Amino acid sequence: MRPSSPGVAAKYRDAAFLLPLAGLFLLMPPLIDLFAAQETLFGIPLIVAYIFGLWSALILVAFWFSHRLSDPEHHAPPPPDMTSPGR
């Protein structure tokens, strides 16, 4: 689904602006320290799995936002109605 109005596009743009800030927040020491345990996930240290999983998720969300915001058809004005009588 593409944004249907300028208000929706502005919301996507604002959310895309906040995405790096959310990534930075998720990498701050209070949160990242939760994953600094000696546990492993399929043989991978938990902290490494967290960092690469978060990195992958941020890339996927940024890719999704880029497709939502780059639709050139959406920002063009609608063509005039040439089928109505009197034209």
Side-chain angles (χ1 to χ4, degrees), residues 37-59:
Q38 295 296 324
E39 301 295 320
T40 61
L41 182 66
F42 302 113
I44 301 170
L46 192 58
I47 187 112
V48 174
Y50 174 73
I51 289 173
F52 280 100
L54 177 64
W55 178 59
S56 300
L58 289 171
I59 289 172

Side-chain angles (χ1 to χ4, degrees), residues 1-84:
M1 182 172 91
R2 301 281 186 215
S4 59
S5 70
V8 174
K11 288 179 183 179
Y12 281 122
R13 192 173 48 251
D14 292 343
F17 175 76
L18 293 176
L19 182 65
L21 297 175
L24 180 66
F25 176 74
L26 291 169
L27 290 172
M28 296 291 274
L31 285 176
I32 206 165
D33 284 344
L34 296 173
F35 299 96
Q38 295 296 324
E39 301 295 320
T40 61
L41 182 66
F42 302 113
I44 301 170
L46 192 58
I47 187 112
V48 174
Y50 174 73
I51 289 173
F52 280 100
L54 177 64
W55 178 59
S56 300
L58 289 171
I59 289 172
L60 289 175
V61 172
F63 180 74
W64 184 76
F65 277 136
S66 73
H67 280 283
R68 293 288 178 181
L69 293 173
S70 68
D71 186 10
E73 278 183 7
H74 168 68
H75 300 293
D81 186 15
M82 301 303 269
T83 60
S84 63

